[in-house]
Amino acid sequence: MSHRMILNETSYFGAGARAELVGEVQRRGYRKALVVTDAVLVKAGTVAKVTDLLDAAGLPYELFDKVMPNPTIGVVQEGVAAFAKAKADYLVAIGGGSPQDTAKAIGIITNNPDNADVRSLEGVAPTKKPSVPIIALATTAGTAAEVTINYVITDEENRRKFVCVDPHDIPVVAIIDSELMATMPVALKAATGMDALTHAIEGYITKGAWELTDALHIKAIEIIGRSLRASCKGDPKGVEDMALGQYVAGMGFSNVGLGLVHGMAHPLGAFYGTPHGVANAVLLPTIMAYNADFTGEKYRAVAVALGHEGAGSLPIGEVRKAAVAAVQKLSDDVGIPKRLSEVGVKPEDIADLARAALADVCTGGNPRDANLADIEALYRSIL
Ligand SMILES: NC(=O)c1ccc[n+]([C@@H]2O[C@H](COP(=O)([O-])OP(=O)(O)OC[C@H]3O[C@@H](n4cnc5c(N)ncnc54)[C@H](O)[C@@H]3O)[C@@H](O)[C@H]2O)c1
Ligand SMILES: [Fe+2]
């Protein structure tokens, strides 16, 4: 049996790391960029922190800032047209998961025009050519979309969010500059940080997990566990550590998959526009408890990584409860709501949500096989 690992060609870390952008563009001989981002980041001045560098170096680009959270098929298609119109030859993605994912879809479709409908890219995408080169600058911590081979697009017409998995979409360069993340409001830091924790925990217990990804996921849980609260309080070291922790989780889960938390979170984004990290965070403790008997000794390592004293010697039943409690406490401490009704979930939608969750690409990676009745019951238990 073999294991596959796909990572960026080059990645940079640390406050101010965006300064490396110009050298990378020049070394790679790229001519003109389409900068893919969103209007909030333009207004906040985050985009200028990057485009000022391109301006100063005389590197041409055009701006596409129409991305919205939970990006749609329509916005991807507009982006593909903007890329062609700009006569660009590479993409610079500046943002959280939404601009990163949109840039991936633009890059893939530009080089694989048979998939211009976008929907045909769902699942393991059948593309033949790599995306146009993407340089990804993350502004949340986060989805780790800058290092993953996935992107998630919303099909508004069919009220679905679908995951595309494609080694051809990985950004060639990722820049993880915590100064671009410092402007996140507290609620966004909390939500995206809990998304990263969910990646680390689901990636750690997913069916395809193995020793190398286990090492990455446990390290990510430890970093996120010690730094998310500090990041939410505005401590720059906390923000920088979260930037790293979310990336380390991405190095792992991108290569082995996720589980039922993501499978059940995606329909919430599609139905109600629930922020992705909030949807995951509300679901995570309950689904950890549902999976507990299928995780061997792994929750012991989770409890240790989250700083639970004595976790090394507790009986496994107790340590599993301690791991779930530590995650719930972190979620509570950063102000995540506890019930799905608080994020707008309606009881009459649960059967449809459960059907969508069962069909989601992530659900198959869950360590415990869930059926439709299980998923409905899980949604109802936290309504
Ligand atoms: N590709 C992957 O592997 C992957 C993994 C997980 C999630 N996702 C997807 O990513 C999307 C979520 O991405 P996200 O949670 O990073 O949020 P996002 O990109 O949707 O951004 C949410 C909001 O935060 C704002 N924002 C972003 N950075 C900011 C900053 N530094 N300062 C102030 N405001 C800022 C944005 O303008 C936007 O309004 C979802 O669609 C999700 O499904 C993708
Ligand atoms: Fe996620």
Side-chain angles (χ1 to χ4, degrees):
M1 176 168 181
S2 62
H3 297 282
R4 183 184 74 179
M5 291 297 287
I6 299 174
L7 300 166
N8 306 116
E9 284 176 16
T10 311
S11 27
Y12 295 97
F13 304 88
R18 65 188 180 283
E20 304 291 344
L21 172 66
V22 168
E24 280 295 335
V25 174
Q26 289 168 338
R27 268 192 297 281
R28 289 167 187 271
Y30 300 151
R31 263 184 323 97
K32 181 176 180 187
L34 183 72
V35 174
V36 177
T37 187
D38 65 50
V40 173
L41 289 168
V42 173
K43 200 160 168 227
T46 312
V47 173
K49 286 186 182 150
V50 179
T51 52
D52 284 355
L53 298 168
L54 297 175
D55 288 330
L59 294 171
Y61 64 90
E62 284 187 33
L63 193 64
F64 178 75
D65 66 357
K66 296 194 177 153
V67 179
M68 306 289 275
N70 299 317
T72 59
I73 289 175
V75 89
V76 168
Q77 289 170 333
E78 266 188 79
V80 171
F83 187 86
K85 189 157 173 265
K87 297 192 167 35
D89 65 344
Y90 72 108
L91 289 151
V92 173
I94 306 171
S98 297
Q100 308 286 345
D101 285 0
T102 305
K104 288 177 179 178
I106 294 170
I108 284 287
I109 291 171
T110 299
N111 280 355
N112 298 272
D114 289 352
N115 298 109
D117 67 315
V118 192
R119 287 189 184 95
S120 60
L121 292 164
E122 180 172 1
V124 179
T127 57
K128 297 198 173 56
K129 290 194 186 148
S131 163
V132 296
I134 302 171
I135 299 185
L137 295 107
T139 69
T140 64
T143 65
E146 69 278 4
V147 63
T148 73
I149 57 166
N150 315 316
Y151 52 103
V152 191
I153 303 298
T154 297
D155 177 350
E156 284 179 306
E157 222 172 279
N158 295 307
R159 236 185 162 193
R160 296 185 65 226
K161 229 179 137 169
F162 61 89
V163 181
C164 311
V165 183
D166 187 352
H168 281 155
D169 69 34
I170 189 155
V172 288
V173 179
I175 299 181
I176 323 302
D177 179 347
S178 56
E179 286 175 7
L180 300 178
M181 300 168 178
T183 51
M184 277 191 282
V186 177
L188 186 63
K189 281 182 183 163
T192 55
M194 288 303 294
D195 182 27
L197 182 66
T198 309
H199 296 153
I201 292 175
E202 290 210 283
Y204 185 48
I205 60 171
T206 197
K207 283 181 183 148
W210 64 292
E211 207 166 359
L212 175 54
T213 56
D214 283 355
L216 294 166
H217 288 129
I218 274 298
K219 188 68 193 171
I221 293 167
E222 181 202 312
I223 298 173
I224 295 164
R226 71 157 197 257
S227 58
L228 180 55
R229 290 179 184 87
S231 165
C232 287
K233 286 188 183 132
D235 168 18
K237 173 83 169 85
V239 180
E240 190 160 346
D241 285 355
M242 277 305 299
L244 177 62
Q246 61 91 33
Y247 183 93
V248 175
M251 292 169 76
F253 87 82
S254 172
N255 288 292
V256 288
L258 290 167
L260 188 56
V261 182
H262 271 77
M264 289 176 62
H266 289 144
L268 303 183
F271 275 55
Y272 314 110
T274 313
H276 175 70
V278 174
N280 280 324
V282 179
L283 294 162
L284 179 61
T286 299
I287 295 171
M288 278 182 78
Y290 170 80
N291 283 332
D293 290 346
F294 294 74
T295 56
E297 282 284 314
K298 283 194 161 175
Y299 281 10
R300 188 183 303 283
V302 172
V304 170
L306 291 174
H308 190 279
E309 274 177 37
S313 54
L314 283 177
I316 190 65
E318 273 178 57
V319 92
R320 285 177 177 159
K321 286 194 185 116
V324 176
V327 167
Q328 183 69 63
K329 171 116 184 28
L330 179 54
S331 185
D332 292 348
D333 287 353
V334 297
I336 298 285
K338 275 203 171 66
R339 314 297 309 177
L340 290 172
S341 50
E342 293 173 67
V343 298
V345 175
K346 298 192 183 71
E348 61 269 27
D349 291 336
I350 284 186
D352 289 337
L353 292 169
R355 263 191 294 278
L358 188 64
D360 191 272
V361 164
C362 295
T363 298
N366 201 60
R368 176 174 177 181
D369 288 325
N371 61 29
L372 194 62
D374 290 344
I375 297 175
E376 277 202 42
L378 284 165
Y379 276 131
R380 283 191 208 286
S381 73
I382 34 179
L383 191 61

